[in-house]
Amino acid sequence: MSSLQVSVYRYNPETDSAPYMQEFQIDTQGRDLMVLNVLTMIKDQDSSLAFRRSCREGVCGSDGMNMNGKNGLACITALSEVVKDNKLVLRPLPGLPVMRDLVVDMGLFYKQYERMQPYLQNDTAAPAIERLQSPEERDKLDGLYECILCACCSTSCPSFWWNPDKFVGPAGLLQAYRFLADSRDNATQARLAELEDPFSLFRCRGIMNCVSVCPKGLNPTRAIGKIREMLLSNAT
Amino acid sequence: MVTNITNLGRSGLSDWLIQRVSALVLAVYALFLVAYLLFHPHLDYVTWSGLFAQTWMRIFSLLAFISMAAHAWVGLWTISTDYLKHTGARFGFQAVVILAIFVFLVWGVQVLWGA
């Protein structure tokens, strides 16, 4: 018996009055497929199913979704990692408005990212060739720059669910620290001032859902702690 | 920068620091009381009121009460801004919490120095 029971969240705002779960039987022929493969097989059965995907190898960050209760990338999550009792439940990323089926509106997520001004800022005269960094300074960016903005972390964070308009969320804060930690950036004071209020950074309660779901193995909670240390040493 | 006027310190950083420091004070106070009770298994009223008659214990207790007040304000304010989305309900809840904290604090001072 290699038939997998898959339950998929369906919602088309143009025809459905409310979201519902649709059941599919998928014959995996005993193979340990990735969840994205299963979604493709479902799409063969019902072409109206909508989901995002692109690179299918965990680089583009398009197919973040909730699989049996845990956020992750469908393309690099094997069935053996998530399936329990031969059942798979697929839902869109929690906390963001659903546009259709597994496709969510990432507007709020990107807005918070944009607020962190995720680009190098330096008001000193540009050197003739380039701004140099020592290997040690470059090492500080490891574990920060690898983020692919799939939103798995921010949409697993209750603080982001309750205040997505005010709390930056783990993804945005990881990027904030990526530029705070960069020796070539000198907008440190302005960046810290943006995060000092009770919501933007301090709504993080350190529950580490972000760390547990990050498909790239990054640690936003540690970055948030580092920003807190910077704020504290700046203000005491 | 998100602005707020009902949180305790007017800044996330100061609220966070107040929360951490007050938690530490409350932990030390609680551990002290537990240890005191363990070392006095046959505690009577005279010994107990004698402890609270000393100035250092009154100052220590007041410090713990103020820490409790600040800790509760920061914590309950956070909960109200997470879960109460209706502005009237949220402001009403915050007003009741702040009033209760004020009453308990004054009452606590009266208990410590009134006897």
Side-chain angles (χ1 to χ4, degrees):
Chain A
M1 177 66 186
S2 56
S3 178
L4 177 70
Q5 192 188 337
V6 189
S7 181
V8 185
Y9 180 100
R10 300 299 308 267
Y11 179 58
N12 181 346
E14 287 172 12
T15 56
D16 304 331
S17 58
Y20 62 97
M21 300 302 289
Q22 189 179 357
E23 304 298 323
F24 294 93
Q25 293 293 330
I26 297 298
D27 183 10
T28 60
Q29 297 175 335
R31 292 169 298 170
D32 189 14
L33 301 170
M34 296 295 173
V35 174
L36 181 62
N37 300 134
V38 172
L39 273 170
T40 313
M41 292 160 92
I42 293 174
K43 185 123 177 140
D44 289 340
Q45 286 185 22
D46 182 346
S47 61
S48 70
L49 177 69
F51 58 92
R52 290 193 179 111
R53 52 82 36 95
S54 182
C55 75
R56 61 100 187 97
E57 57 184 8
V59 175
C60 72
S62 302
D63 62 354
M65 63 186 67
N66 189 281
M67 299 164 285
N68 274 358
K70 191 172 179 184
N71 290 355
L73 297 177
C75 55
I76 54 168
T77 303
L79 290 177
S80 57
E81 291 173 56
V82 285
V83 171
K84 282 201 187 93
D85 299 330
N86 212 37
K87 273 188 190 158
L88 178 62
V89 181
L90 299 176
R91 291 173 175 274
L93 290 174
L96 291 175
V98 174
M99 296 168 81
R100 181 171 163 170
D101 299 339
L102 301 173
V103 178
V104 292
D105 180 355
M106 306 260 284
L108 276 168
F109 175 80
Y110 291 136
K111 205 174 162 189
Q112 293 295 354
Y113 175 59
E114 188 184 6
R115 232 183 96 198
M116 294 300 99
Q117 308 188 345
Y119 39 85
L120 274 181
Q121 295 177 47
N122 193 321
D123 55 12
T124 59
I129 301 175
E130 59 191 339
R131 295 188 196 279
L132 295 174
Q133 259 186 327
S134 69
E136 292 74 27
E137 286 168 338
R138 170 60 188 78
D139 284 349
K140 288 183 183 168
L141 307 183
D142 286 342
L144 304 173
Y145 77 92
E146 299 94 331
C147 173
I148 57 172
L149 295 176
C150 63
C152 286
C153 60
S154 291
T155 57
S156 71
C157 174
S159 292
F160 188 74
W161 296 341
W162 311 145
N163 291 290
D165 53 335
K166 295 179 184 145
F167 176 55
V168 174
L173 290 167
L174 188 82
Q175 288 316 296
Y177 185 61
R178 182 246 170 276
F179 289 96
L180 283 166
D182 195 313
S183 60
R184 298 163 298 178
D185 186 283
N186 69 7
T188 307
Q189 291 307 319
R191 292 184 188 279
L192 289 178
E194 180 67 24
L195 295 171
E196 190 259 342
D197 65 87
F199 281 99
S200 303
L201 174 130
F202 284 99
R203 194 41 60 111
C204 168
R205 319 308 308 173
I207 64 169
M208 299 177 84
N209 275 13
C210 50
V211 182
S212 103
V213 300
C214 179
K216 308 302 278 187
L218 307 178
N219 191 333
T221 307
R222 186 167 58 209
I224 292 168
K226 296 272 186 192
I227 301 177
R228 261 198 217 111
E229 282 172 26
M230 290 179 85
L231 280 163
L232 194 61
S233 65
N234 208 25
T236 50
Chain B
M1 181 87 169
V2 183
T3 51
N4 273 279
I5 57 155
T6 48
N7 64 310
L8 179 58
R10 300 293 178 275
S11 124
L13 180 62
S14 77
D15 272 12
W16 175 76
L17 193 61
I18 288 167
Q19 194 79 321
R20 290 299 182 275
V21 173
S22 60
L24 206 64
V25 171
L26 289 171
V28 172
Y29 191 74
L31 286 175
F32 168 78
L33 282 187
V34 170
Y36 186 85
L37 292 174
L38 285 177
F39 280 102
H40 295 80
H42 306 294
L43 187 66
D44 56 11
Y45 177 76
V46 179
T47 322
W48 185 245
S49 65
L51 171 67
F52 282 89
Q54 298 172 75
T55 304
W56 69 266
M57 186 58 195
R58 287 178 174 175
I59 292 173
F60 190 21
S61 299
L62 184 61
L63 181 67
F65 293 175
I66 291 170
S67 296
M68 175 80 91
H71 200 88
W73 188 334
V74 173
L76 290 170
W77 179 85
T78 303
I79 291 168
S80 74
T81 49
D82 266 352
Y83 299 109
L84 298 175
K85 293 302 171 193
H86 183 271
T87 307
R90 187 171 63 247
F91 182 73
F93 176 82
Q94 291 169 357
V96 168
V97 165
I98 292 167
L99 180 69
I101 287 171
F102 176 74
V103 169
F104 284 131
L105 195 58
V106 175
W107 191 8
V109 172
Q110 197 198 12
V111 169
L112 282 175
W113 270 277

